[in-house]
Amino acid sequence: MLLITFLNFNWKELFLGTEDWGFLMEIVLRTIIMFLTIIVSLRVLGKRGVKQLSIFELVVIIGLGSAAGDPMFYKEVGIVSSIIVFVVIIILYSTITFLIGRFKKLENLFEGKAICLIEHGVFAIENFKKENLGSDEFFAELRVKGISHLGQIEFAIEEVSGEISVFFNEDEKVKYGLPIMLNSLDNPIQNILVSGHFSCTFCGFTEKKEVGSAGNCENCGKKNWVEASNKIRVT
């Protein structure tokens, strides 16, 4: 039964769909044309459209990709109509880019704006809540930059492109801060057994505490703490 099904299977339809073999060469030609069109379009858009992908640029790239993809292998989609889409997208992009350079509000609307996530070793809680960024993901990005605790950081800013810019404290100004190494936040405490500097696991606020109840964080109101670190950043 399986052998009969295998022998009677329409392999041509599986590999070619409803098209004939002659359309394969047309696909090659269509792909070459659209490939060259993409290159020309990106050159017109400039390096900024390729290197810095804000939400605005990402929409443009997705639009170009969609317009280029369909005519490559759909026979019913003409190349001219796709090129018209390219021209319209480029005109829109150039017009909006021009207006963005003239009006700051439009720039914020289309591209967003940089936002400070850490100020003097402590999370800017309200700003951090606005971003779709998990703490583990954020800590991973900081560790890549050689950071082991928040006390090494003066400011951390999320740029429009999504990159994290970090401004470090000088070695002599490094203070106690929330450790961000693996498993460093796994065992928070609420009672202090040995006096020292401790950091709030939620916001990174750090202060010296004596033996006894750790109490609530005066910055965010949370009550989980871990021992802070003041190691100098190794570069």
Side-chain angles (χ1 to χ4, degrees):
M1 183 67 179
L2 290 175
L3 180 59
I4 295 174
T5 302
F6 181 81
L7 292 175
N8 292 331
F9 193 82
N10 191 337
W11 295 100
K12 178 180 178 295
E13 184 174 330
L14 173 65
F15 289 105
L16 293 180
T18 59
E19 306 299 341
D20 52 36
W21 291 100
F23 185 60
L24 294 181
M25 288 306 298
E26 186 176 332
I27 289 177
V28 173
L29 180 59
R30 284 169 172 260
T31 302
I32 292 173
I33 294 173
M34 294 315 301
F35 179 75
L36 294 175
T37 303
I38 293 173
I39 291 177
V40 172
S41 298
L42 291 180
R43 290 290 294 172
V44 172
L45 292 177
K47 293 180 180 178
R48 186 171 182 273
V50 179
K51 188 176 180 181
Q52 274 186 301
L53 287 184
S54 65
I55 293 177
F56 176 45
E57 276 88 24
L58 186 60
V59 170
V60 171
I61 297 300
I62 291 174
L64 293 178
S66 179
D70 290 348
M72 287 183 184
F73 51 84
Y74 287 130
K75 195 171 186 177
E76 61 272 17
V77 179
I79 290 178
V80 173
S81 58
S82 181
I83 291 178
I84 291 174
V85 172
F86 267 67
V87 172
V88 171
I89 290 177
I90 290 173
I91 291 174
L92 283 174
Y93 178 85
S94 301
T95 302
I96 293 174
T97 301
F98 174 80
L99 293 175
I100 282 175
R102 296 292 187 276
F103 303 101
K104 187 66 177 178
K105 289 185 178 179
L106 275 181
E107 182 180 1
N108 293 339
L109 176 64
F110 281 99
E111 298 193 337
K113 55 184 178 180
I115 187 169
C116 186
L117 299 180
I118 293 179
E119 298 179 17
H120 304 295
V122 180
F123 279 116
I125 301 175
E126 293 305 316
N127 289 345
F128 199 86
K129 287 179 180 178
K130 297 175 184 177
E131 302 303 302
N132 188 20
L133 186 66
S135 58
D136 288 342
E137 178 187 359
F138 183 57
F139 288 162
E141 291 201 36
L142 295 182
R143 288 195 295 269
V144 169
K145 299 179 184 296
I147 298 166
S148 62
H149 66 88
L150 300 190
Q152 298 168 341
I153 301 173
E154 183 178 14
F155 294 104
I157 299 171
E158 185 180 30
E159 306 293 352
V160 173
S161 63
E163 293 289 328
I164 304 296
S165 297
V166 179
F167 298 86
F168 299 101
N169 285 316
E170 297 176 5
D171 288 350
E172 60 272 16
K173 294 183 179 180
V174 169
K175 54 187 179 181
Y176 283 91
L178 178 71
I180 61 172
M181 301 303 288
L182 293 177
N183 306 317
S184 59
L185 306 182
D186 288 351
N187 299 299
I189 60 175
Q190 297 180 3
N191 291 288
I192 307 301
L193 301 180
V194 179
S195 61
H197 288 83
F198 292 83
S199 299
C200 171
T201 59
F202 183 77
C203 71
F205 177 78
T206 302
E207 63 181 349
K208 188 173 182 179
K209 290 185 176 295
E210 302 299 330
V211 175
S213 175
N216 293 351
C217 173
E218 65 179 65
N219 185 53
C220 67
K222 304 295 183 181
K223 56 183 180 180
N224 289 327
W225 302 81
V226 293
E227 187 174 356
S229 171
N230 68 337
K231 290 182 179 180
I232 295 175
R233 179 171 170 266
V234 178
T235 56

